[in-house]
Amino acid sequence: DGGITQSPKYLFRKEGQNVTLSCEQNLNHDAMYWYRQDPGQGLRLIYYSQIVNDFQKGDIAEGYSVSREKKESFPLTVTSAQKNPTAFYLCASKTSGASGANVLTFGAGSRLTVL
Amino acid sequence: AQSVTQLGSHVSVSEGALVLLRCNYSSSVPPYLFWYVQYPNQGLQLLLKYTSAATLVKGINGFEAEFKKSETSFHLTKPSAHMSDAAEYFCAVSYNAGNMLTFGGGTRLMVKP
């Protein structure tokens, strides 16, 4: 079945360490997104990519980095510069153009806890 | 800039009661509107979407939402709540098919037996 796979599901990190969250999709979607979710704050956009080898900052990109070397993959690195990285991270994708009607498909999420 | 407001971060209903979750958006052009549901420690799942066709949109699990342009609202309803409806619900808006989605802050629905 097609979908989005995020890994790991749970991750613990010590302060000062970089961590990378994986996001893989087999939906043949062009666009991929990373959101951060904190209690009571909804979803906030970190980075997005509409085509391979190109990505743009979202609303809260500071302390994060991404790459898009393959259409299927959009890993997110949480760097030591991110002051408050403990959160639930969601990866999403969608097809480009009007046919997709802007419907996002989400992965199951990765919960990062900084010790 | 587009925005969406969900009134009430927590809503509690009894099993079998009407569910009403409120969503208002800001727009000067016809929007695309969405409701997503999130169960604990999971991703978001699309419940329903409005894309300028019928104003009353039916979704999965018995939910529906009505687009009211005059009120800039897209409230989510279900006639009879079930325990399995307990989850967090997000309203989202965009202004064309290629535009970014903007999410509301979410409403946590609790269903009492």
Side-chain angles (χ1 to χ4, degrees), chain A residues 9-10 33 35 37 40-43 45 48 50 88 90 94 97-98 101-104 106-109 111, chain B residues 32 34 36 38 41-46 49 51 88 90 94-101 103-106:
Chain A
K9 180 72 173 176
Y10 300 94
Y33 304 80
Y35 289 91
Q37 185 177 17
Q41 295 194 45
L43 277 68
L45 183 63
Y48 64 100
Q50 295 181 312
F88 191 53
L90 287 162
K94 77 176 183 77
N102 243 10
V103 175
L104 288 175
F106 284 86
R111 185 169 297 282
Chain B
Y32 290 81
F34 307 82
Y36 284 86
Q38 182 182 35
N41 292 312
Q42 294 186 28
L44 277 67
Q45 177 185 1
L46 182 69
K49 64 183 180 186
T51 56
E88 188 151 22
F90 291 92
S94 69
Y95 294 112
N96 57 55
N99 203 294
M100 304 299 296
L101 282 181
F103 286 86

Side-chain angles (χ1 to χ4, degrees), chain A:
Chain A
D1 289 339
I4 298 179
T5 301
Q6 289 188 240
S7 63
K9 180 72 173 176
Y10 300 94
L11 184 61
F12 297 89
R13 185 194 97 173
K14 293 182 179 179
E15 285 192 26
Q17 287 182 334
N18 292 355
V19 293
T20 297
L21 307 180
S22 170
C23 177
E24 303 278 333
Q25 55 101 356
N26 60 3
L27 300 166
N28 199 33
H29 284 173
D30 298 300
M32 298 185 73
Y33 304 80
W34 275 105
Y35 289 91
R36 171 179 171 143
Q37 185 177 17
D38 297 281
Q41 295 194 45
L43 277 68
R44 293 183 289 169
L45 183 63
I46 305 172
Y47 267 98
Y48 64 100
S49 167
Q50 295 181 312
I51 57 172
V52 175
N53 292 322
D54 188 46
F55 48 82
Q56 281 77 42
K57 294 181 179 180
D59 300 321
I60 56 165
E62 185 175 353
Y64 299 97
S65 66
V66 294
S67 63
R68 187 85 187 276
E69 297 177 0
K70 299 185 299 181
K71 187 175 184 178
E72 303 78 19
S73 178
F74 191 41
L76 173 74
T77 296
V78 184
T79 75
S80 57
Q82 169 51 233
K83 299 305 180 187
N84 184 22
T86 294
F88 191 53
Y89 291 88
L90 287 162
C91 180
S93 70
K94 77 176 183 77
T95 188
S96 60
S99 62
N102 243 10
V103 175
L104 288 175
T105 300
F106 284 86
S110 292
R111 185 169 297 282
L112 172 63
T113 303
V114 174
L115 304 173

